[in-house]
Each structure stands twice: as structure tokens, then as C-alpha cells.
Amino acid sequence: MATFDYADMQATAHELIEEFGQAGAVKRVTPPDPVYGGEPVVTLYPATLVPMAYEARYIDGTVILAGDMQIYISAVGLSIEPTVGDVVTANGADYAIITGDANKYDGVTNVVFIVQGRIAA
């Protein structure tokens, strides 16, 4: 049985996101040390992404709200996995990640990150 090439799938996803997307960033805030304190550390990770509004049929008012965005983030060149608690900058606005899916079908290769973003307060 032939094996599927997830790296090729990742490259295809990256090409499409690069062609139709925009430059953005994923912001991660590391909290201060619980013992020694200090200031939180904010780190920006440049990313290529495509933000898309949810279709009206998916907006249920509880899980997905009006104004939420479905954001496709290329895994190529991104050194982190975007997760809940991170903030994505797209379309000139900051979106807090509500949920996300790494699309790691083989358990190793991140093909594309798909996250639900909500305007950050």
C-alpha cells in the first residue's frame, strides 16, 4: 500500500494561502514566572494566512458568533502551533483564537492550521 505524502499536501496548502492570503502574525503571551514574577513576554510569529467570514448558516449565536472569522494559517515557516489563548492579526484587527485544528493527519506533519478567531477585546 502506498503512503500519502503529507509534506506535498502542506506545500500545496501553503501555495494557495500565499497566493490568495495576506501577511499576518500569531501573538503568544507567556505569563510571568509564578515564583519570581515579572512581566508577561509577548512574542510575535509572522504568518501567511487567509481570514474568511463564516457563512450565515454556520453562525448559531453560541459557538460561532457574527463577526467570527475562520482563519487558515500556513504551517510552512511557522515555528508554533496556534492554540487557544493566542491572538491572530489579520485584516488589520486582532482575533483571539477560540478553537483550532492543526490538521495533522499523520500525527507528524501540520498541513494547515484552521482556527476560529473572535475580535480580541
Side-chain angles (χ1 to χ4, degrees):
M1 183 168 160
T3 59
F4 191 80
D5 187 1
Y6 290 101
D8 186 47
M9 187 182 223
Q10 179 191 58
T12 301
H14 175 69
E15 288 173 16
L16 290 168
I17 291 171
E18 195 170 51
E19 182 175 349
F20 298 106
Q22 60 185 260
V26 177
K27 178 170 58 173
R28 178 165 290 171
V29 178
T30 305
D33 185 279
V35 175
Y36 298 108
E39 296 295 318
V41 178
V42 177
T43 308
L44 289 176
Y45 298 91
T48 306
L49 48 89
V50 176
M52 296 186 295
Y54 281 96
E55 293 180 30
R57 65 184 169 157
Y58 295 115
I59 299 172
D60 61 7
T62 54
V63 176
I64 300 174
L65 305 179
D68 284 2
M69 299 290 275
Q70 188 173 29
I71 305 170
Y72 288 73
I73 305 170
S74 175
V76 174
L78 190 61
S79 59
I80 61 166
E81 284 191 25
T83 186
V84 174
D86 292 343
V87 175
V88 178
T89 302
N91 291 338
D94 288 339
Y95 295 91
I97 295 178
I98 304 301
T99 62
D101 184 1
N103 290 283
K104 194 185 294 187
Y105 304 109
D106 63 354
V108 177
T109 308
N110 292 314
V111 174
V112 63
F113 299 107
I114 304 173
V115 299
Q116 175 186 354
R118 186 167 294 153
I119 290 290

